[in-house]
Each structure stands twice: as C-alpha cells, then as structure tokens.
Amino acid sequence: MAALYIQAEHNFVKLFWKRLEKIGKLAETNSLDALAQIDDNRVHLEQCLDLLIREGAVPDVSKTKRFHKQYSVCMTWELFLDISKRLKFCQNVAERALKQGNRRSYCFYKAMEAEQLVAKFQYGKAIQMLQKPFAILEELESIDQEEKNSMKLVKALLHYVKAHAFGCMQKNGDALSEIKTSLQQCKSVSGNSYFAARLVNQQGAIYMNMGKYMESLDCHLNAYEILKKSAASDLLLDVPTYLMNIGTGYSEMGKDVRQQKPLEAIKHFEKAIDYYDRSLSTEKRLHMDEYIKTALTLKNKAMAYCHLHRLSEGLRMAEQSLTIRRKYLPQKNPDVCRGLIFVAQIHYDMGREKQKSGDVGSVEEFQQAERYFGEAAEMEVSGRPDEGFPTVDYEALKHEYLDVLKRLCKNDELQRRKKIFMDFDRKVEKRSVSPRKQSESSQSEESTSGSSSNEEAEDEQQTHTEIKEESSRKKTRKEQLREASTKCSIA
C-alpha cells in the first residue's frame, strides 16, 4: 500500500507540474486566462508544490525549451504564492537537485532563491549565494549544443539577479556590467523571449539610475517591443510596468531640455502622460488598477502635469496616488511619507503662484501645504521601518515646510520645527553610513512638483521583484493580479 501511495503521489506531481508549465506558457501571452486556470486548479497546484518542496523529481532545465518552461513556471507562481513559500520551494528543490547530481537545475533554483532574497531586501546575502552556482557552471562541460545553450541561459539568470541586487545597493557600475553580461548570454540563444524582455527592462532601470535617460528610454521601448513580438496581446503582467517606464524616460528627457528647448520639453512631457495613460488603461483591463503599482504611475503622471505647470491636474493625480498608498502600505512607510511631501509641494507651488498674483487664495494653499508637510515631518523624524534614515525628499521638506510657516507668520511653530529638525539631523549624523533599505516602491521619485526646489531626484520606475510578503489568506483574482504586478525596481 505504501508503495502504491508513493507512486500515486509521483503521478499526481508529474501531472500537475505539466499543467503548471502549460499555465506558465499561457501567462506569457495572456495573464488573465492564466490566472483563470490557476483558479480552476488552485488546490491541486498548491498540493503539487507542497509535495515538490518535500520530495520528488527535480524539474529539468537541461534544454533551452526546458529553461523557458521552468522560468515561465516561476513567473506564474508570482500570481498565487507569497515570497516565503517561493523561497522555501527554491531552497528545497535546489538542495535536492544537488544531491541528485543535477547541477544545472541546482544553479537555476539557487538563482531564483537569490531573487526572492532581493525581494526581501537581503542584497548582500543574495550576491553571496550566487558564488557557488557561478563556480559550478564554470566546471560544467557539454558537447550537446542544446545543453550549452541551456547553460548560457542559466548564467544569464545568475547575472540578472546579481545585477538586480547591485542596483538595489546603488552600485550601478557593477549592476550595468552584470546586466550586459546577462544580455550577451541570453541574446546568443534566445533574444525575443519574455525572459529577454525582463533583462532589457532591468538594463533600462540601471541606466535611469545613472542619469542616462536616452539609453534608458531605448531599453524600455525595446523591452516592450520584445513582448509585443512574443505575444499577440497586451494582457501581460509586465506590460503596464514597461509602459510606465517608457513614460518616465520621456519625462526625464523633458526635464533635461526644458531650459534650452521648452517646446521640445513640452512634447516629451505630453508623450510621458500618454504612456502613463496607456499603462493605467492596461492595468484596468488586467484588473490590476487601484493598487500600489497604480499609485506609482499616478504619481509619475502628476509630476509630468506639474512640469507642464498644470498644477491642479497634477494635484488630483498626486492625491489619488497618496490615497492608494495609505490604503495598502504601513503608516510610516517611506512611500507614504514621500507621497505626503509631494502633495504638500504642489499646494506650496500653487500658493506661491497665487501670492505673486495677489490672490488671497494663497493662504488656503499654504495651510494645506502645512498640513501635509507637518504629517510627513513627523514620519521623517520619528523613525520608520527602513532604519529611520530620512527620505531623499527630506531636505526639500525642511526648506519648504519652514518657508510655509514663515509665510503664514507662525513664528512659534517655525522655531519649534527648526529645533526638531536640528535634533534629528544630529541623530542621523551619528549613525553609521550604510545603504538604506529600499522603500516599497524602491525607485527614487522626483521630489518636487516640478516648479521649485530639488530637481535632481528621479522619477519612479519598476522592474520585477516582489516588494513584500503577501497575506497567506486566499485572495481574489483581482488582488492576485495586483500583487503579482507590484514588482519594484532598483533605486
């Protein structure tokens, strides 16, 4: 009986792993249909993965097609597994692969395990974990061309994860070197795949962080084109992200030329808004709207409006973005803090414009700015989950908040706030300098409404890493798509 039970389990795993591979393939062309099939098979798929975590055959990646199948499965599980379960699965399968002598699969699943660590902000640990797989692949030899190609793709995956970790640590030179190596390995085998599109998008994010906006835009446009070639539909999880990143590229180009070529800058900002709208529309079709990714796109769209001096429209977008972040993020999350600062800055700019024209409505705008600045200031100085370091908008917050209090003639509050900021600054100086844990959006946002203050920070972007552990409760289809799409980029 025991032998029959074991054989039944083996057959069950084999059947539903093949079904999961088919769903993964479908997810590359239509994420909605893939999720519908996951809903239909959810209980069995989860049982299948539970069995694979404990025991069973290791999924094979010895051929190019097998690599893409397993990568599609890993992409699919973003739709219904939380980070902790994905991490455990990768750990156990990698260990079993090594015991069985399947070193190529071991390297694949160690790469995926490291990717989950990056999602949990454990960048150094992720990079360290990749050392052994790299060493093993150097030792592997094969006379079979398909196996050689498979090894190239596994190497590409290792370099991709390493690039992601370096980017999150702000080591952009190292990140760029790794992603270029990854792309070289991938394109020699499979240049127009879902996997290749993610590599190109990652390269665009790195260029963005380096201030190379033309190169970044080219990468994001290319990533989107690769997806369009590989699928007949825009109903893919990554499409809203790629469209948003294209918009960000145009926005940054507009900022670069607005002083010398204002008319050209306007065209860039209008293009940015068009791509943000396309991103939001695709999110809605995928039932991903009104979640964290939506907040990201709305804020970037608000920035573009503000660069065009359409502050009222920008304010509406910024408020919608902040509302979503308040709903889904912890109270003291840095992204909530930055959202508050951004709304305050738009009120601040509107107040200054009205004051210049003699409009008495300026007082109301400054009062609104004071309210949002005040809430953000409390978050900044009271310590947050990301080690209590100030956000990149902190200096702008100090300058503009104090100016608002001065304009409102609140001298006592002005002096009180000055002292609080000075005390906090001294505390920050005493802390050891170390990379600050990334916020949930992870990518640095532009810190002003576009007509004042700090113009050096960048718009937000995203790549493809989970930002937090999801709840273990069963989610609706809409929630699953939203959370699977909430992948963040390096900052």
Side-chain angles (χ1 to χ4, degrees):
M1 287 296 292
L4 288 173
Y5 182 77
I6 292 172
Q7 184 60 44
E9 281 190 339
H10 174 77
N11 292 339
F12 173 82
V13 169
K14 187 176 180 180
L15 171 65
F16 278 94
W17 187 259
K18 284 185 177 180
R19 189 165 296 181
L20 188 55
E21 288 179 341
K22 290 180 180 179
I23 293 173
K25 187 65 178 176
L26 179 61
E28 294 183 0
T29 57
N30 192 316
S31 296
L32 276 180
D33 287 350
L35 188 57
Q37 291 199 19
I38 287 174
D39 283 346
D40 292 340
N41 295 274
R42 173 176 299 280
V43 174
H44 292 140
L45 291 175
E46 289 181 351
Q47 288 175 347
C48 170
L49 291 171
D50 284 339
L51 288 170
L52 271 172
I53 286 174
R54 298 199 305 269
E55 57 187 342
V58 173
D60 180 40
V61 294
S62 61
K63 306 291 183 182
T64 302
K65 288 184 178 180
R66 296 300 304 168
F67 172 91
H68 286 299
K69 279 188 177 182
Q70 300 317 311
Y71 189 77
S72 296
V73 168
C74 294
M75 180 184 70
T76 301
W77 68 24
E78 295 170 358
L79 298 171
F80 68 102
L81 286 184
D82 62 38
I83 295 176
S84 294
K85 197 159 188 176
R86 296 202 300 267
L87 185 61
K88 185 177 180 181
F89 178 84
C90 292
Q91 287 172 338
N92 289 20
V93 173
E95 289 174 7
R96 202 159 60 249
L98 195 60
K99 290 178 181 177
Q100 295 176 9
N102 190 341
R103 296 193 290 174
R104 192 179 288 105
S105 291
Y106 166 81
C107 294
F108 176 91
Y109 280 100
K110 291 308 283 187
M112 296 309 302
E113 181 183 347
E115 180 74 346
Q116 310 314 311
L117 291 177
V118 174
K120 293 170 76 71
F121 310 114
Q122 298 177 28
Y123 313 127
K125 186 175 180 181
I127 291 171
Q128 186 178 15
M129 179 176 289
L130 296 173
Q131 292 178 359
K132 185 174 179 179
F134 273 121
I136 288 176
L137 286 180
E138 289 300 318
E139 297 172 359
L140 286 176
E141 294 183 4
S142 175
I143 59 173
D144 183 85
Q145 188 59 45
E146 269 294 299
E147 290 186 354
K148 286 182 179 179
N149 288 341
S150 172
M151 282 194 289
K152 286 183 179 181
L153 291 174
V154 175
K155 280 185 180 179
L157 179 60
L158 290 168
H159 285 292
Y160 164 69
V161 176
K162 195 173 182 181
H164 193 182
F166 274 135
C168 290
M169 297 169 71
Q170 295 295 309
K171 295 183 178 181
N172 293 321
D174 292 332
L176 185 60
S177 176
E178 292 293 334
I179 201 64
K180 283 183 175 180
T181 303
S182 177
L183 280 165
Q184 185 179 16
Q185 295 283 341
C186 179
K187 286 183 177 179
S188 67
V189 180
S190 178
N192 288 316
S193 62
Y194 208 102
F195 177 56
R198 286 193 168 190
L199 303 189
V200 175
N201 185 67
Q202 180 78 11
Q203 186 179 29
I206 295 167
Y207 276 132
M208 177 67 70
N209 292 337
M210 298 174 75
K212 297 182 177 182
Y213 304 126
M214 182 65 77
E215 292 91 336
S216 174
L217 179 59
D218 285 344
C219 287
H220 292 312
L221 286 166
N222 189 19
Y224 181 52
E225 286 302 314
I226 291 172
L227 276 193
K228 285 169 65 177
K229 288 178 183 177
S230 64
S233 169
D234 268 0
L235 294 177
L236 307 174
L237 289 178
D238 291 351
V239 166
T241 295
Y242 294 176
L243 290 172
M244 186 196 71
N245 287 345
I246 293 169
T248 300
Y250 279 116
S251 184
E252 290 295 344
M253 289 174 62
K255 286 164 59 182
D256 260 4
V257 301
R258 63 182 170 180
Q259 298 298 329
Q260 298 83 10
K261 302 177 181 178
L263 293 180
E264 184 178 329
I266 289 173
K267 291 181 180 179
H268 286 317
F269 291 132
E270 288 175 344
K271 273 190 175 181
I273 291 172
D274 178 60
Y275 274 99
Y276 292 145
D277 283 338
R278 288 173 62 183
S279 175
L280 292 167
S281 174
T282 307
E283 282 184 5
K284 193 167 185 178
R285 290 166 59 208
L286 284 166
H287 307 302
M288 296 157 136
D289 53 315
E290 299 302 316
Y291 195 60
I292 301 299
K293 168 62 178 56
T294 308
L296 197 68
T297 309
L298 285 170
K299 184 175 179 185
N300 284 347
K301 184 180 177 182
M303 293 174 191
Y305 274 132
C306 290
H307 284 308
L308 292 170
H309 301 288
R310 294 159 63 177
L311 297 182
S312 295
E313 292 168 278
L315 178 62
R316 180 168 56 85
M317 297 287 109
E319 288 175 337
Q320 289 178 24
S321 173
L322 177 59
T323 298
I324 293 170
R325 286 181 169 179
R326 283 189 189 274
K327 181 177 180 180
Y328 290 104
L329 298 178
Q331 183 179 2
K332 290 187 177 182
N333 184 276
D335 292 340
V336 176
C337 182
R338 297 187 68 195
L340 287 164
I341 294 171
F342 184 47
V343 172
Q345 288 174 321
I346 299 177
H347 280 296
Y348 174 64
D349 285 350
M350 292 174 72
R352 292 193 306 163
E353 286 191 0
K354 289 180 179 180
Q355 192 174 56
K356 285 179 183 178
S357 63
D359 188 337
V360 294
S362 63
V363 174
E364 183 178 351
E365 297 294 349
F366 288 136
Q367 287 173 340
Q368 288 292 332
E370 179 193 10
R371 180 165 70 88
Y372 286 105
F373 275 138
E375 186 177 350
E378 288 300 320
M379 289 187 186
E380 292 278 21
V381 302
S382 62
R384 297 186 314 277
D386 59 334
E387 302 174 14
F389 284 91
T391 68
V392 296
D393 301 331
Y394 173 66
E395 292 300 325
L397 163 67
K398 283 197 301 183
H399 170 76
E400 295 171 7
Y401 185 22
L402 296 177
D403 187 57
V404 164
L405 293 173
K406 184 177 180 181
R407 290 173 188 266
L408 291 173
C409 300
K410 294 190 174 184
N411 294 324
D412 290 343
E413 181 65 10
L414 177 64
Q415 297 307 316
R416 189 179 78 86
R417 286 292 178 181
K418 280 183 177 180
K419 184 178 183 307
I420 291 173
F421 287 138
M422 288 176 63
D423 291 342
F424 178 66
D425 290 344
R426 281 194 289 267
K427 289 179 182 178
V428 171
E429 287 175 5
K430 290 179 181 178
R431 295 187 184 127
S432 60
V433 179
S434 61
R436 182 165 60 85
K437 184 185 291 185
Q438 299 292 305
S439 66
E440 285 213 4
S441 73
S442 182
Q443 183 71 6
S444 61
E445 304 166 338
E446 186 179 28
S447 64
T448 72
S449 59
S451 56
S452 68
S453 305
N454 177 9
E455 296 289 359
E456 297 178 0
E458 302 165 9
D459 286 318
E460 292 183 273
Q461 261 193 324
Q462 289 195 332
T463 52
H464 307 281
T465 303
E466 288 284 353
I467 57 174
K468 64 177 180 178
E469 291 189 25
E470 298 96 340
S471 168
S472 60
R473 69 175 176 84
K474 286 192 176 181
K475 306 178 183 70
T476 65
R477 183 178 304 179
K478 190 167 185 177
E479 287 176 315
Q480 292 154 2
L481 275 167
R482 286 170 172 175
E483 296 192 3
S485 71
T486 311
K487 310 175 186 81
C488 59
S489 73
I490 51 183

